[in-house]
Every structure is written in structure tokens, then in C-alpha cells.
Amino acid sequence: MSGVKLLATGSALPQHVVTNHDLEQIMDTSDEWITSRTGIGARHHCTGEESHTSLCLEAAKKALERSGVKAEEIGVCLVATLTPDFLTPATACVLQKELGLEHDTVCFDLNAACSGFVYALHTAQCLLAAAGRKYALVLGAEVLSRVIDSGDRSTYVLFGDGAGAAVLEWREDYPSIHAVLGCRGDDQVLTIPGVNKGVPAVVHMDGQGVFRFAVEALPHCAREVAQKAGISLEDVDRFVFHQANQRIINFAVKKLGVDPAKCTGNIAHTANTSAASVPILLDELMEKGEIKSGDKVLCVGFGGGLTWGGALLEVAQRREGDTK
Ligand code: UT7
């Protein structure tokens, strides 16, 4: 046995809230359409001085402070994202500087779209096994308002900005997170052109294609994680699913036969924040006391790639000297 547990979380959302009614003023859409098709009521967009980096710093500082872990104890720092401020330096490198992490901290960004945070949890667990310092700072963060086209109502209304962070501790006597990661390469249903394409970097999505993929991938992945961990889905205290569409979650909950009260989310006020969605929800639930020490939390992300990722994250007892 060896693995990581979750010590603490933090998150950051931009101040500016864009409601469905705000969108009704700038495009041919309606609150009724958005709410009934997606469950989204509002999203946050970065304005002014806010940026991907500022959101990451705010979320990371909160998580570190709550964990009681000092910056110099961090051995691994990962940021899951597809909308960083810079292609280089990686956001994780900026965090190394701003947070005062040691120079031999392993710092990099990774892109597995909406599954990115779960990919980063697994990567951190693997890296910590070999690292000298046994704590990791893992983030999911996006500024999707930069890659949506206001001329495309079918995608513009769906996405928002935000960052979530988690501090993990690796120990020989901790269980593995039993990650299940996968990819079915597809460059048609969900794409954002890269720097070499000479076309605007905006989201293109075949919504129904992704929907069909998601309602199959989410429950399948959740089941596989439980099976790998040797537990039943009833043993899970909380499910934290990627917040892409409330209808996808409702489908999955029904298919899995789990208690809907263990699967509530926050899409109504965050919209889809891709890699940031799972850690922001984790943090909200930790803050509300709906996730507590000792809880088993099954996280699942799915989306662009096409990718999926699931993991069973156990919440550790808070360390002595922590601040909460
Ligand atoms: O995080 C990455 C993973 N992403 C996802 O999981 C997204 C998965 N897909 C979805 O969530 C849904 O497919 C959407 C929410 C994107 C779309 O819902 P839908 O029920 O599949 O709608 P649709 O694309 O079939 O469009 C239905 C109608 C169309 O009009 P017609 O052709 O029936 O006249 C669209 O033009 O809705 C229209 N429409 C809109 N109407 C008002 C599309 N966007 C809008 C809009 N406001 N914003």
C-alpha cells in the first residue's frame, strides 16, 4: 500500500458574474433555454487585473494555509489547464516563484482538458512516491472566457473561469487513489485550435457528440474506480463529477443507482470550468462541511481529447498547526 490523501483545498472565482439574463442582452438566447438544457444560471469571467495566474495564486495560497503545509515542504506542483496565461513559463513555474517553493520542486502544467485535475492527482501520486518531499500542490484552473466566441451561442453560454487547488500528502500507509484514466483520440467533436493553425483559438463543439460520449464515460469510469479500489459505490461518501451539464450528471446518477444527494454540484453558479470544475466543487463541499476528514470522495472528469479520469480521494485528518 502507498498513496496520497487530501489535506486541504482552496479555490478562486473572478468577481464579475455573467448571468443568463446578461447573455440575453448580447445574443439570441434565453435563461429558459440555458437553465433547462444545462442547469447553468451564471458564470464568472475574469476582468481587469484578474488572470489565470492570479486565480491560481489565490486558490493555492488558501489551500496551503488551510493544510498547515509550508511552501518549502512541497515536492511537486502541477497545474491542469488548457488556458494558461503563458505557454512558457508554465503556470506551475510561476507558482514556484510566487509561493517560494524550493528550486528542486517538480513543476509543470498538464493538459487533459476537463479530465486534467484527475490526471494531475494521479501524476502527483506517482511523482511523490519518488520525491524527497511528500506533499504536492495540485491545481485545475481555466480562463475559458478567453476562448469562447460570442458569435457562437451554442458554446458561449456554457463556459466560465475559475481555479481550484488541493494539497496532497503521500505516505506508505495511505491507500492509492486507484485512478482510472483513458483517452479515445478525437479531433472532431471538441477542439480549440493551437498556435500553429492561423485561426482564432476558440472552442468548437459538437454538443450532442460530447453529450453521448459523456453519459457513457462518466458512469463507466466511476464504476471502474470503485471496482479497482475494491469497494461498492454505496461505500462512497461523496461524488464530485465534472460540472459540464446537469443533465449528464442526472443520467449518470440514475445509471449508477447512487443517492442523488451525494452528487449535488455547483454548475448553477460556475458553469463549465473544464479542469477547474472538480477542484472548485471539492473546495466548496469542504468549506460547507459536506466533505469531512475520513470521507471517501469519488471524482470523475471527462471531456476534450476525448479523455476521462476517475479517482478515489480520501480526506486526511488535518495536520497539527493548521489554521482551520
Ligand atoms: O466539458 C466538456 C464536455 N462538454 C460537454 O459535456 C457538453 C455536452 N453537451 C451538452 O451539454 C449539450 O449538447 C449542449 C448543452 C451543448 C446543447 O444541448 P442540446 O440539447 O444538445 O441542444 P442542441 O445542440 O441539439 O440544440 C438544440 C437547439 C438548436 O436549435 P434548432 O436547430 O433545434 O432550431 C440550437 O440552435 O437549441 C439551439 N441553441 C440555442 N438556443 C438558445 C443552441 N444554443 C442555444 C442557446 N440559446 N445558447
Side-chain angles (χ1 to χ4, degrees):
M1 202 163 63
S2 71
V4 291
K5 284 192 184 182
L6 176 66
L7 281 183
T9 54
S11 65
L13 293 170
Q15 295 203 337
H16 181 56
V17 175
V18 180
T19 66
N20 294 346
H21 296 295
D22 294 331
L23 295 181
E24 284 174 344
Q25 310 306 313
I26 60 165
M27 62 183 60
D28 180 18
T29 191
S30 67
D31 175 52
E32 200 281 328
W33 190 95
I34 302 170
T35 312
S36 62
R37 300 278 176 142
T38 69
I40 298 166
R43 68 288 293 144
H44 295 248
H45 284 181
C46 278
T47 52
E49 297 294 298
E50 290 171 329
S51 66
H52 185 272
T53 307
S54 73
L55 294 177
C56 284
L57 268 171
E58 187 182 333
K61 281 178 182 169
K62 282 183 192 163
L64 272 178
E65 192 186 314
R66 291 168 181 168
S67 72
V69 173
K70 297 184 189 69
E72 58 269 28
E73 294 178 280
I74 297 291
V76 172
C77 174
L78 305 179
V79 181
T81 187
L82 46 74
T83 50
D85 286 338
F86 303 98
L87 291 181
T88 192
T91 317
C93 298
V94 179
L95 292 180
Q96 183 279 323
K97 178 176 176 238
E98 297 296 331
L99 299 172
L101 308 182
E102 296 290 340
H103 284 162
D104 61 349
T105 306
V106 178
C107 296
F108 61 94
D109 292 358
L110 69 84
N111 174 357
C114 309
S115 315
F117 181 74
V118 180
Y119 269 66
L121 290 177
H122 176 67
T123 308
Q125 179 174 268
C126 296
L127 289 169
L128 284 176
R133 295 185 299 280
K134 298 301 186 188
Y135 298 97
L137 182 59
V138 177
L139 288 91
E142 304 289 4
V143 185
L144 292 162
S145 60
R146 292 196 189 137
V147 292
I148 44 179
D149 173 6
S150 60
D152 178 6
R153 67 176 181 171
S154 71
T155 54
Y156 192 86
V157 303
L158 303 176
F159 298 100
D161 303 342
V167 177
L168 307 176
E169 179 183 20
W170 185 96
R171 277 179 32 179
E172 256 173 24
D173 59 344
Y174 279 172
S176 163
I177 60 170
H178 300 290
V180 170
L181 308 178
C183 165
R184 196 181 78 206
D186 183 305
D187 61 0
Q188 298 300 310
V189 297
L190 180 46
T191 61
I192 304 176
V195 287
N196 61 343
K197 293 282 169 87
V199 284
V202 291
V203 177
H204 299 274
M205 186 169 76
D206 161 13
Q208 291 191 3
V210 183
F211 198 98
R212 281 194 295 275
F213 158 74
V215 292
E216 189 239 322
L218 202 182
H220 190 260
C221 184
R223 276 218 178 85
E224 269 201 87
V225 173
Q227 197 178 20
K228 208 172 160 186
I231 63 165
S232 126
L233 286 170
E234 272 132 52
D235 300 328
V236 174
D237 298 296
R238 239 303 170 173
F239 295 88
V240 174
F241 297 140
H242 170 45
Q243 303 290 296
N245 186 321
Q246 190 57 45
R247 287 190 296 141
I248 293 173
I249 293 169
N250 296 347
F251 262 102
V253 169
K254 215 164 159 193
K255 213 161 166 183
L256 290 167
V258 294
D259 179 0
K262 289 184 178 179
C263 307
T264 53
N266 60 0
I267 191 168
H269 79 94
T270 61
N272 181 345
T273 57
S274 191
S277 135
V278 167
I280 291 172
L281 179 55
L282 256 183
D283 184 51
E284 286 190 13
L285 296 169
M286 294 273 283
E287 280 299 279
K288 286 195 271 184
E290 289 183 33
I291 293 179
K292 316 170 287 302
S293 293
D295 277 359
K296 288 183 172 63
V297 183
L298 202 159
C299 304
V300 182
F302 55 86
L306 298 166
T307 57
W308 59 91
L312 188 70
L313 200 51
E314 204 173 305
V315 185
Q317 299 295 330
R318 288 211 160 101
R319 281 190 2 161
E320 271 183 36
D322 61 4
T323 54
K324 289 200 69 183

